[in-house]
């Protein structure tokens, strides 16, 4: 397999699955991988897990997170205008003039983040944009009308932006952080099935919830599975794009391969094995480092259950936490290959302990 299933890619990436309301995306994801797994479960918060060889004692996790940043309705004025607070790391600076969807109690409703015309704003007001003065307009004329339409404090709001291609090389859209990771781990399951690869251990394909608000889903699921090894998939910044410092953020480029991270949470022997597999199979890769935390789900796995050996592979991404997150298609395919070859090389009961 050297391609990604485009029907699944577009269906899954275009679906709206904000933090704490990931279940619609989880249904799409789980339905896709069911032909390639032996069992599955979904927990009470929506973490979805496909399992190959569920009877095996040695358990390996490959993981991504399913949630996307969004907003909560926080206040509705008597005139029907809506003020919001963040649900995850949403960027108020990109909100004005964006189309959005309010996920109300009676279904989804279209809305827009309005903003005054440039020629009526005073110069001093231009610097005042913040999360407290962006306003959502759903066409309501009163607070009562909003309520009748099912929009209440606590309703979730997502940006509108569908996936598309750039120059035949990139995919761009909202929520590639990190549903592109969900695509990758699903395609690993498909590759294992299509190549009739028999694994000598249990493989738990985990699509976790609530990463964007503190890695909550990963913390829940690792306690349930208690894996012997975890490989996390997420995204990291392309530092070739404007406004990045390579001195501070490293030298990472879309199209030059997935990124192998060094960090306190990355277990050294897992790191070494990932590198060995990439070199042996001529998979291009880049390197990056995190001084303390990576800000991904690896910390939830690495520091649970008295320590789970864990590794992190990330997709270089442009414009993270915007509606035009952009990844190179080759990087996605190469990450699928890398995870597949790693799993193929891994032996049952492989120990990552240090012998002193």
């Amino acid at each position: 397999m050297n391609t990604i299933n485009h029907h699944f890619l577009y269906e899954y990436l275009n679906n709206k699955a904000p933090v704490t309301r990931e279940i619609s995306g989880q249904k799409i994801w789980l339905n896709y991988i069911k032909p390639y797994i032996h069992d599955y479960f979904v927990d009470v918060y929506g973490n979805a897990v496909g399992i190959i060889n569920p009877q095996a004692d040695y358990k390996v996790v490959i993981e991504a997170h399913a949630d996307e940043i969004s907003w909560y309705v926080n206040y509705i004025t008597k005139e029907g205008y809506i003020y919001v607070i963040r649900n995850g790391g949403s960027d108020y600076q990109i909100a004005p003039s964006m189309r959005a969807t309010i996920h109300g109690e009676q279904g989804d409703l279209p809305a827009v983040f309005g903003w005054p015309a440039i020629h009526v704003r005073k110069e001093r007001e231009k610097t005042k944009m913040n999360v407290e003065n962006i306003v959502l307009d759903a066409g309501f004329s009163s607070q009562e009308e909003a309520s009748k339409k099912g929009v209440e404090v606590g309703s979730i709001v997502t940006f509108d932006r569908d996936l598309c291609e750039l120059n035949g090389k990139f995919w761009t859209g909202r929520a590639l952080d990190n549903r592109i990771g969900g695509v990758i781990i699903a395609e690993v399951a498909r590759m294992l099935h299509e190549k009739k690869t028999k694994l000598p251990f249990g493989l738990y394909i985990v699509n976790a919830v609530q990463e964007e608000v503190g890695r909550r889903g990963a913390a829940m699921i690792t306690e349930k599975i208690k894996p012997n090894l975890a490989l996390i998939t997420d995204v990291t910044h392309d530092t070739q794009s404007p406004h990045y410092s390579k001195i501070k953020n490293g030298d990472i480029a879309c199209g030059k391969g997935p990124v192998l991270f060094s960090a306190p949470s990355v277990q050294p022997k897992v790191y070494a094995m990932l590198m060995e597999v990439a070199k042996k199979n001529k998979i291009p890769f880049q390197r990056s480092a995190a001084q303390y935390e990576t800000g991904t789900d690896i910390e939830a796995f690495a520091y649970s259950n008295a320590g789970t050996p864990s590794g992190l592979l990330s997709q270089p991404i442009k414009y993270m936490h915007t509606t035009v997150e952009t990844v190179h298609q080759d990087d996605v395919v190469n990450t699928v290959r890398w995870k597949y070859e790693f799993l193929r090389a891994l032996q049952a009961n492989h120990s990552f302990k240090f012998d002193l």
Side-chain angles (χ1 to χ4, degrees):
M1 185 196 77
N2 59 5
T3 60
I4 302 298
N5 184 310
H6 278 216
H7 176 78
F8 168 59
L9 173 77
Y10 278 80
E11 183 183 20
Y12 183 52
L13 266 294
N14 286 337
N15 177 73
K16 295 174 180 177
V19 182
T20 76
R21 300 293 188 274
E22 300 94 343
I23 201 65
S24 62
Q26 298 291 59
K27 287 180 181 178
I28 295 168
W29 183 85
L30 196 55
N31 284 337
Y32 181 71
I33 70 167
K34 280 179 180 178
Y36 315 130
I37 58 177
H38 299 139
D39 200 0
Y40 67 90
F41 68 87
V42 180
D43 71 12
V44 295
Y45 275 88
N47 291 294
V49 182
I51 312 170
I52 296 172
N53 300 336
Q55 75 287 346
D57 292 330
Y58 191 86
K59 300 175 182 179
V60 177
V61 161
I62 56 173
E63 189 260 12
H65 72 83
D67 57 320
E68 66 178 285
I69 58 173
S70 52
W71 307 91
Y72 280 119
V73 172
N74 193 49
Y75 171 61
I76 306 173
T77 71
K78 64 180 182 179
E79 296 84 8
Y81 292 103
I82 298 166
Y83 288 82
V84 295
I85 58 174
R86 290 184 176 98
N87 185 20
S90 297
D91 187 351
Y92 65 84
Q93 293 190 76
I94 69 167
S97 82
M98 284 285 188
R99 293 181 179 180
T101 296
I102 304 174
H103 304 277
E105 295 175 2
Q106 298 175 24
D108 292 350
L109 294 169
V112 296
F113 280 98
W115 196 245
I118 189 170
H119 56 276
V120 301
R121 299 199 307 265
K122 295 180 181 178
E123 185 65 31
R124 61 183 177 82
E125 291 175 335
K126 293 181 183 179
T127 62
K128 289 186 176 181
M129 185 198 303
N130 56 55
V131 75
E132 296 179 359
N133 65 10
I134 56 172
V135 177
L136 194 64
D137 185 348
F140 302 138
S141 57
S142 67
Q143 189 180 73
E144 291 74 19
E145 186 178 5
S147 184
K148 286 179 181 178
K149 294 287 188 177
V151 177
E152 303 284 359
V153 171
S155 294
I156 293 180
V157 179
T158 52
F159 288 129
D160 288 352
R161 185 61 59 88
D162 282 351
L163 188 71
C164 67
E165 288 194 2
L166 295 180
N167 197 26
K169 300 177 182 179
F170 295 88
W171 286 307
T172 184
R174 37 162 277 285
L176 275 74
D177 177 12
N178 179 35
R179 284 210 288 277
I180 197 64
V183 170
I184 288 166
I185 59 175
E187 295 292 36
V188 172
R190 177 163 75 100
M191 182 178 274
L192 289 165
H193 175 82
E194 291 181 350
K195 290 182 176 291
K196 297 180 172 56
T197 304
K198 303 296 183 183
L199 299 178
F201 48 79
L203 180 65
Y204 290 71
I205 306 152
V206 176
N207 215 18
V209 300
Q210 297 193 27
E211 189 271 352
E212 297 290 359
V213 289
R215 298 161 288 199
R216 308 300 185 190
M220 299 174 203
I221 209 66
T222 187
E223 293 296 329
K224 182 174 180 64
I225 296 173
K226 293 181 167 43
N228 300 94
L229 170 66
L231 296 182
I232 312 307
T233 308
D234 212 305
V235 296
T236 191
H237 302 284
D238 175 318
T239 60
Q240 314 306 307
S241 47
H243 313 301
Y244 282 93
S245 165
K246 294 182 180 66
I247 295 172
K248 292 182 178 179
N249 303 114
D251 190 3
I252 301 298
C254 286
K256 291 189 175 181
V259 178
L260 178 61
F261 257 87
S262 296
S265 53
V266 175
Q267 207 270 355
K269 289 192 174 184
V270 178
Y271 179 93
M273 186 173 176
L274 282 165
M275 187 183 302
E276 178 185 357
V277 166
K279 290 180 177 179
K280 179 179 179 181
N281 292 279
K282 296 181 171 56
I283 298 170
F285 69 94
Q286 304 173 82
R287 307 186 197 212
S288 191
Q291 184 176 3
Y292 297 110
E293 290 193 349
T294 66
T296 72
D297 279 340
I298 190 173
E299 277 81 32
F301 281 92
Y303 302 137
S304 64
N305 306 314
T308 298
S310 301
L312 174 61
L313 300 181
S314 292
Q315 299 300 292
I317 193 170
K318 300 181 183 183
Y319 322 124
M320 191 187 298
H321 285 202
T322 73
T323 58
V324 291
E325 295 178 329
T326 301
V327 297
H328 199 288
Q329 296 171 9
D330 289 349
D331 295 336
V332 175
V333 171
N334 280 322
T335 308
V336 175
R337 287 181 55 219
W338 198 349
K339 283 185 177 286
Y340 168 79
E341 294 295 348
F342 182 94
L343 294 172
R344 202 164 70 92
L346 185 66
Q347 299 299 309
N349 301 315
H350 184 103
S351 175
F352 292 92
K353 293 181 179 179
F354 292 102
D355 297 322
L356 301 179

